[in-house]
Amino acid sequence: MRKTICLLPGDGIGPEIVAEAVKTLRAVEKKFGHEFVMSEALIGGAALDAAGDPLPAATVDACKAADAVFLGAVGGPKWDVLPGDRRPERGLLGIRKALGLFANLRPATLFPELAGSCLLRADTAAKGLDLIVVRELTGDVYFGKPAGQEVRDGQRVGFNTMIYTEQEIERIARVAFATARKRKKRLCSVDKANVLDVSRLWRAVVSEVAKDFPDVELSHMYVDNAAMQLVRDPSQFDVILTGNLFGDILSDEASAITGSIGLLPSASLGAGAPGLFEPIHGSAPDIAGQGKANPLATILSAAMLLRLGFDMEAEAAAVENAVHAVLREGFRTPDLMPASGGAGFHPVSTTEMGDRVVERL
Ligand code: NAD
């Protein structure tokens, strides 16, 4: 199959880790007889330096023309002094908006080989953790109007509006049900329907959509309980569906408990537009250019691209299995080395880790 990918390496460790994912995609291309046509465009600080704009129009055009967009990371201290609208992060928000990406999918997986880095009690970690948070990305209290600050009765007040239309709820619910259908067929919708009107609408619409997915088991949970259950027994979850605000918090919580920020991928999807695939971590300026960055989150993002962007399940699974294999064999970038020392492990650089994955493929 012939597919086009627009690469946005970005800043800091971005170019180093994207290079390893490209190596992996080239290996997949060869093994499975595909043709991936890859082009590169500027975003973030790199785009500011070269073109004075964190998201040049040429980048938006290149992304829209591609079958999928693959991002490293943006940002760094060099650009932190710039005003908000000229910060590298604007490039990221801008491209999500330009592509109409409304669904953010973040798996949180505890690799058995790395159970020691899990922040949970050993008996809880032993039950495993393999869930995915489907977060709505374009609505909710982050974008609702009215919003602002003003003086009322002589004192300052701040306000935001938590709002969802039924159409916004329905389209994200459909993504979540479809995701659950490809996994263990269990969907937990998280809201605050005991207090919030918007959550009561959320719950009603999600329950309506459920009728189209009779093979998926739907449950509802209040967000405060979900936050607690995630640390008490995360093994109970398969797919978690939630709004923008609750999803922001829960997806960070779910990934933090795995203890390995350098291992977690993500996907953002829209209707018909190319999806955007990226690791959840940032540009790690503290280790950029030193060969210390862990490329596995980026390589696993490439696996998500194959599965969700190109519908290539066998290819995605092959990449994931290769990652598991190198971890099982003890290869570790510095972030994965146990604090107690590395006896029995093989320390590797960014490029060596990419090479090992390609070998296993
Ligand atoms: P960060 O994720 O870049 O780094 C946090 C810590 O994790 C650092 O110690 C870093 O060295 C480490 N780390 C991150 N990724 C790693 C990897 N692949 N391998 C090994 N170690 C890794 O977060 P931060 O320090 O808060 O932010 C740095 C810059 O990244 C900021 O400019 C921020 O705005 C930006 N940022 C960008 C994105 C994005 O592009 N999606 C996301 C978050 C932060």
Side-chain angles (χ1 to χ4, degrees):
M1 208 181 278
R2 183 181 190 275
K3 292 282 183 188
T4 57
I5 304 172
C6 183
L7 304 171
L8 306 175
D11 309 316
I13 60 170
E16 302 165 51
I17 52 180
V18 166
E20 300 314 307
V22 167
K23 227 154 66 178
T24 308
L25 287 167
R26 290 289 177 223
V28 169
E29 204 177 24
K30 215 154 110 196
K31 182 177 163 79
F32 290 88
H34 298 301
E35 186 189 355
F36 298 142
V37 181
M38 303 193 219
S39 62
E40 213 171 289
L42 291 166
I43 194 165
L48 273 165
D49 287 353
D53 182 346
L55 185 65
T59 296
V60 176
D61 291 344
C63 290
K64 282 186 174 167
D67 294 318
V69 180
F70 194 73
L71 177 90
V74 299
K78 179 178 172 191
W79 304 282
D80 279 350
V81 291
L82 294 172
D85 60 335
R86 296 196 54 239
R87 295 282 286 271
E89 292 77 9
R90 278 277 138 204
L92 192 51
L93 296 177
I95 193 64
R96 285 184 183 146
K97 190 155 184 242
L99 298 177
L101 305 173
F102 65 84
N104 184 235
L105 278 68
R106 262 171 62 167
T109 316
L110 180 63
F111 291 71
E113 301 83 6
L114 296 170
S117 38
C118 179
L119 303 188
L120 302 178
R121 243 174 31 202
D123 58 327
T124 311
K127 290 204 246 172
L129 166 55
D130 178 12
L131 61 88
I132 182 160
V133 178
V134 177
R135 166 190 173 194
E136 202 285 333
L137 210 54
T138 57
D140 207 346
V141 69
Y142 292 170
F143 298 96
K145 295 279 181 311
Q149 288 187 33
E150 61 189 36
V151 175
R152 292 181 194 168
D153 299 329
Q155 67 166 333
R156 291 175 297 160
V157 297
F159 50 95
N160 291 87
T161 302
M162 191 179 240
I163 182 166
Y164 268 118
T165 66
E166 58 180 325
Q167 187 257 336
E168 286 172 322
I169 302 168
E170 186 188 331
R171 67 179 185 177
I172 189 73
R174 288 193 180 281
V175 171
F177 276 104
T179 305
R181 192 168 252 178
K182 289 189 191 162
R183 294 172 47 101
K184 292 182 219 129
K185 300 189 171 49
R186 282 188 288 120
L187 177 63
C188 178
S189 174
V190 171
D191 60 39
K192 189 71 184 166
N194 50 342
V195 180
L196 299 172
D197 290 297
V198 55
S199 281
R200 285 192 274 274
L201 177 69
W202 178 279
R203 199 173 269 221
V205 174
V206 171
S207 301
E208 285 156 26
V209 174
K211 294 185 186 125
D212 291 342
F213 297 86
D215 52 325
V216 176
E217 180 194 320
L218 171 67
S219 61
H220 301 276
M221 195 180 278
Y222 299 135
V223 62
D224 41 350
N225 188 23
M228 185 173 70
Q229 295 301 331
L230 267 176
V231 288
R232 216 184 57 84
D233 180 17
S235 71
Q236 68 187 280
F237 295 109
D238 178 22
V239 179
I240 294 177
L241 161 66
T242 190
N244 205 346
L245 173 65
F246 301 153
D248 192 355
I249 299 162
L250 292 181
S251 59
D252 265 11
E253 183 189 357
S255 45
I257 55 184
T258 69
S260 315
I261 191 178
L263 279 176
L264 297 169
S266 79
S268 300
L269 307 175
L276 184 138
F277 303 85
E278 58 178 322
I280 67 157
H281 59 70
S283 59
D286 52 329
I287 55 167
Q290 301 171 33
K292 289 183 182 165
N294 182 349
L296 295 181
T298 318
I299 290 172
L300 291 168
S301 301
M304 284 192 96
L305 181 156
L306 294 166
R307 175 177 292 118
L308 300 173
F310 297 165
D311 215 8
M312 296 180 180
E313 175 58 38
E315 292 82 339
V319 172
E320 288 162 352
N321 289 338
V323 168
H324 282 284
V326 297
L327 289 173
R328 224 174 13 249
E329 288 159 24
F331 294 103
R332 298 284 186 273
T333 43
D335 58 303
L336 298 178
M337 277 292 187
S340 52
F345 294 114
H346 316 296
V348 286
S349 67
T350 308
T351 50
E352 285 165 342
M353 187 61 115
D355 290 342
R356 295 293 89 79
V357 172
V358 167
E359 276 168 24
R360 294 305 164 274
L361 256 174

